[in-house]
């Protein structure tokens, strides 16, 4: 870059450049510099910014740049816009007093690692029109009146720091106060709704989410005719201030989720509203019968996690632009309107789970079906899986678990190559799960849950080997992690719906609020599957959880389980598995849950491995299993099959003890019998004993002689 001395304009944005930014010190005529949206790293001190006296605009956002920002960059006298967002810059701006360019009108340092006290020096930048310091680690308390010094300011974003903004400041003058078009104060410790907003007639975007604002949402907010974006989510609002009739607001995006709202839902302009989220509140009424007529242009509607009751109004199908409809986790009852399954224009997400809906799933899915997520979990739906659901070739998540659906395994869904999640658990399915002629299978399938049904037969699903998502890819890395979601585009803005499901892993229910594409699990527990565990499971080395419990599997625990290096949960309990626990299980370094209880396993539990860290309950009720953590010790020989039992003989003869007793009696008999029947041997024996005793005990020998004489004398007297 040293030879580009006449360079005036340089734009390398939206490429894949990496490495450090070269020096531009010799390009003294440079006015525009943009390297945004690349993969550049390192610092920006290589350029002598003070030499670029003509520089007006610098865009370096969305890179991996780090270090501190040279003060000389702020001091370029012609600088008008400085955008350094979404990098890893750190430090503070405390030394800019009186030095920064007076022409600076746009400063974006958002999503970096700046910290310390809020830089009060920004209030000296009187020409600022845009100021964004969001998503850093700034701290301190700021009175809202301080922004009166920035009269030209129209865009302000201080969200997601550790700041406390005092919006109750009475020193605010409506005459000198900035006229905002965008005001974002999310997570700024606000305690009251900013009253000064009454005079903000030009406000287009307002974000007060994630604060501690209590009370009512003021009705004057709807009088701001220019307001299009309103985010009041995750506060403590209890209701909308009345009256709510004849609202003339042009709000297109309204997010009020995560409050304590109750009462009546405000009806906005049916031809303007695009995004409406009232989820996670305390609404407990029926759905307005004409709700669909007020949402003719809406793309997103979520009323989930409330207590709405009654039926789903038929008018909901008049919302012909809906991309996402989420009415989950309420108390809705009755049948699902058939027209919901026929909304083929745009509907990508239909979530009605967690209600009391009954009837059947209508077999009216059109050939142009664009559903990406269908969640009907935890209802009272019956019937069979409709054949026409196979028309939904873009389906990624299908959750119809915990209902009363019957019939065979839905093989007619085998050609949906986009399927990631299939949950059929806790229904009344039966029969085999093998799908003849299934050559394509589900290459993206990552969560397969058939638990608690009546499936039977051997596990030889023909498409099992095509589940490529169950196999790890060595080229994967953490930077490529993705999760399932549905994107919504509105002009230049992008919103998305986050898929959520509940899985059973490690013996507990786990709610996945983000379904990462690397998370994989198979759960076919509580069925009637039989036969050996298929060898293809050994190829699923990306598997995190495997549950085959409460079936009738036979054979041994395969050694190929040792190849499942990512496995964290393995449940093979309550089957008819035999043989020993393979040593290869010791290779599973991430295994944190294991249950092989209630089988017919034998032999020692492999020692010096993490298997000893599991509880005794993980191995119990296997009569031939021994070793820690079980109390049964290994080493004693088991009884022979042809030896008599206690019940047959009354007791077991201990031959090793009895042989010693017989030997002792035989030896003693050799000495005693001759003494009794052979006089010469008896005389010889006692003489030898007397001599031995007299030598050992001389005194005993004399006493013996005296006693002998006395005896003879007594005999004579008689």
């Amino acid at each position: 870059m040293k030879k580009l001395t006449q360079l005036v304009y340089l734009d390398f944005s939206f490429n894949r450049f990496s490495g450090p930014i070269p020096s531009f010190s010799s390009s003294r005529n440079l006015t525009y510099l943009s390297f945004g949206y690349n993969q550049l790293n390192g610092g920006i001190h290589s350029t002598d910014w003070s030499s670029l006296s003509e520089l007006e605009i610098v865009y370096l956002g969305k890179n991996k740049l780090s270090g501190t920002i040279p003060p000389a960059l702020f001091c370029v006298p012609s600088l008008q816009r400085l955008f350094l967002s979404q990098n890893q810059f750190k430090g503070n701006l405390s030394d800019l007093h009186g030095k920064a360019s007076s022409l600076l009108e746009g400063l974006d340092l958002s999503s970096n690692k700046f910290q310390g006290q809020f830089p009060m020096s920004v209030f000296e930048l009187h020409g600022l029109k845009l100021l964004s310091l969001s998503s850093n680690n700034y701290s301190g308390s700021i009175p809202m009146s301080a922004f009166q010094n920035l009269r030209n300011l129209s865009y302000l974003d201080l969200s997601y720091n550790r700041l406390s903004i005092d919006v109750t400041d009475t020193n605010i003058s409506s005459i000198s106060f900035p006229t905002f078009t965008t005001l974002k104060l999310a997570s700024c410790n606000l305690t009251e709704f900013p009253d000064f907003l009454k005079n903000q007639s030009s406000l287009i975007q307002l974000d007060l989410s994630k604060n501690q604002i209590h009370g009512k949402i003021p009705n004057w907010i709807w009088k701001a005719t220019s307001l299009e974006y309103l985010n009041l989510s995750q506060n403590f609002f209890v209701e909308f201030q009345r009256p709510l009739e004849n609202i003339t607001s042009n709000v297109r995006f309204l997010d009020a989720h995560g409050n304590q709202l109750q009462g009546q839902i405000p009806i906005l302009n049916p031809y303007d509203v695009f995004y409406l989220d009232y989820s996670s509140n305390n609404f407990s009424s029926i759905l307005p019968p004409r709700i669909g007529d007020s949402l003719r242009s809406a793309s997103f509607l979520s009323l989930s996690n409330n207590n709405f009751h009654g039926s789903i109004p038929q008018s909901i199908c008049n919302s012909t632009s809906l991309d996402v409809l989420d009415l989950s986790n309420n108390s809705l009852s009755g049948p699902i309107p058939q027209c919901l399954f026929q909304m083929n224009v745009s509907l990508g997400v239909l979530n009605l789970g967690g209600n009391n809906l009954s009837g059947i799933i209508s077999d009216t899915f059109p050939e142009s079906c664009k559903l990406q997520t269908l969640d009907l979990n935890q209802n009272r739906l019956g019937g069979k899986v409709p054949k026409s659901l196979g028309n939904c070739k873009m389906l990624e998540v299908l959750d119809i678990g915990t209902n009363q659906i019957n019939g065979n395994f839905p093989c007619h869904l085998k050609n949906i190559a986009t399927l990631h999640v299939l949950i059929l658990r806790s229904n009344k399915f039966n029969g085999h799960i093998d799908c003849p002629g299934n050559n394509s299978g589900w290459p993206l399938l990552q969560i397969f849950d058939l638990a608690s049904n009546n499936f039977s037969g051997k596990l030889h699903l023909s498409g099992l080997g095509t589940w490529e998502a169950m196999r790890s890819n060595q080229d994967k890395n953490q930077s490529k992690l993705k999760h399932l979601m549905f994107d919504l585009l509105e002009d230049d803005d992008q919103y998305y719906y986050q898929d959520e499901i509940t899985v059973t892993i490690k013996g507990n229910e786990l709610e996945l609020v983000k379904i990462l594409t690397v998370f994989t699990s198979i759960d076919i527990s509580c069925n009637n599957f039989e036969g050996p565990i298929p060898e293809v499971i050994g190829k699923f080395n990306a598997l995190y959880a495997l549950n085959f419990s409460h079936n009738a599997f036979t054979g041994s625990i395969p050694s190929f389980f040792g190849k499942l290096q990512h496995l964290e949960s393995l449940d093979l309990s309550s089957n008819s598995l035999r043989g020993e626990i393979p040593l290869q299980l010791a290779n599973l370094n991430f295994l944190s849950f294991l249950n092989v209880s209630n089988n017919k396993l034998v032999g020692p539990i492999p020692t010096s491995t993490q298997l000893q860290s599991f509880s005794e309950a993980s191995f119990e009720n296997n009569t031939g299993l021994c070793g820690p953590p079980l109390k049964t010790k290994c080493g004693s020989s088991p009884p022979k099959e042809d030896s008599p039992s206690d019940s047959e003989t009354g007791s077991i003869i201990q031959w090793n003890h009895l042989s010693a007793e017989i030997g002792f009696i035989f030896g003693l008999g050799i000495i005693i019998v001759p003494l009794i029947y052979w006089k010469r041997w008896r005389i010889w024996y006692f003489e030898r004993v007397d001599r031995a005793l007299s030598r050992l005990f001389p005194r005993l020998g004399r006493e013996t002689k005296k006693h002998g004489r006395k005896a003879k004398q007594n005999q004579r007297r008689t």
Side-chain angles (χ1 to χ4, degrees), residues 249-295:
S249 174
N250 294 319
V251 170
R252 306 193 72 242
F253 181 105
L254 175 59
D255 189 349
H257 86 270
N259 282 282
Q260 300 171 9
L261 293 170
Q262 53 188 339
Q264 184 181 354
I265 298 176
I267 303 300
L268 305 177
N269 191 327
Y271 296 102
D272 285 331
V273 65
F274 159 75
Y275 186 105
L276 193 60
D277 190 350
Y278 288 130
S279 63
S280 301
N281 278 286
N282 295 330
F283 293 111
S284 59
S285 61
I286 64 171
L287 294 177
R290 309 305 304 173
I291 186 173
D293 296 331
S294 63
L295 298 169

Side-chain angles (χ1 to χ4, degrees), residues 358-497:
S358 57
I360 64 171
I361 305 173
S362 176
D363 194 8
T364 55
F365 292 90
E367 292 185 1
S368 56
C369 174
K370 296 181 180 179
L371 273 178
Q372 183 173 307
T373 296
L374 178 60
D375 190 342
L376 304 177
N377 185 279
Q378 290 187 336
N379 280 285
R380 294 184 295 168
L381 300 171
K384 294 179 172 57
V385 179
K387 296 287 185 181
S388 60
L389 184 58
N391 293 330
C392 302
K393 303 298 185 183
M394 302 172 66
L395 198 62
E396 294 185 1
V397 177
L398 175 60
D399 186 353
I400 55 176
T402 318
N403 279 284
Q404 300 172 20
I405 301 172
N406 55 46
N408 297 324
F409 185 77
C411 288
H412 49 279
L413 306 180
K414 65 183 181 181
N415 294 322
I416 303 179
T418 57
L419 198 63
H420 284 256
V421 177
L422 178 61
I423 299 179
L424 307 179
R425 72 178 297 126
S426 299
N427 277 285
K428 297 180 179 180
F429 289 103
N430 56 66
H432 297 188
I433 65 171
D434 188 45
C435 296
N438 187 3
N439 297 318
S440 58
W442 295 307
L444 302 179
L445 191 67
Q446 60 182 95
I447 297 176
F448 185 66
D449 190 347
L450 307 183
S452 301
N453 280 283
N454 293 313
F455 290 117
S456 60
K458 293 184 178 180
L459 190 64
H460 51 78
L461 189 64
S462 58
L464 207 65
T466 66
W467 297 358
E468 292 297 326
M470 301 284 185
R471 309 184 187 200
S472 66
N473 185 345
Q474 299 299 327
D475 296 330
K476 288 182 179 179
N477 55 63
Q478 295 297 316
S479 63
K480 295 181 180 180
L481 287 181
K482 297 180 180 180
H483 54 272
L484 301 183
M485 60 184 183
F486 182 83
D487 290 320
L488 295 94
L489 297 176
E490 169 67 3
D491 298 330
D492 294 330
D493 297 318
Q494 183 175 8
Y495 310 102
Y496 63 88
Y497 175 85

Side-chain angles (χ1 to χ4, degrees), residues 22 95 139 142 220 265 269 377 384 462 466 495 514 545 553 597 633:
D95 53 353
S139 59
I142 307 172
W220 52 257
I265 298 176
N269 191 327
N377 185 279
K384 294 179 172 57
S462 58
T466 66
Y495 310 102
K514 285 187 177 182
F553 286 108
S597 63
K633 295 182 179 180

Side-chain angles (χ1 to χ4, degrees), residues 20-36:
I21 293 180
S23 173
F24 292 94
S25 300
S26 60
S27 303
R28 299 180 181 274
N29 296 321
L30 194 64
T31 61
Y32 184 99
L33 176 64
S34 177
F35 277 95

Side-chain angles (χ1 to χ4, degrees), residues 583-602:
L583 293 173
Q584 287 81 357
L585 287 186
N587 299 331
L588 302 178
N589 297 324
F590 294 104
L591 193 66
S592 58
F593 179 88
L594 174 67
N595 194 347
V596 294
S597 63
N598 299 295
N599 279 285
K600 300 178 180 179
L601 301 174
V602 297

Side-chain angles (χ1 to χ4, degrees), residues 544-609:
Y544 278 77
L546 180 65
N547 191 344
F548 279 10
S549 67
H550 294 88
N551 280 284
F553 286 108
T554 56
S556 60
I557 298 178
S559 60
F560 59 63
F561 277 129
K563 300 178 181 179
L564 309 183
Q565 293 297 313
H566 292 92
L567 200 62
E568 296 183 7
S569 177
L570 176 61
D571 193 345
L572 302 175
S573 62
S574 300
N575 281 284
S576 296
L577 297 172
R578 297 175 178 270
E580 297 184 350
I581 297 177
L583 293 173
Q584 287 81 357
L585 287 186
N587 299 331
L588 302 178
N589 297 324
F590 294 104
L591 193 66
S592 58
F593 179 88
L594 174 67
N595 194 347
V596 294
S597 63
N598 299 295
N599 279 285
K600 300 178 180 179
L601 301 174
V602 297
I605 298 172
T607 56
S608 301
T609 70

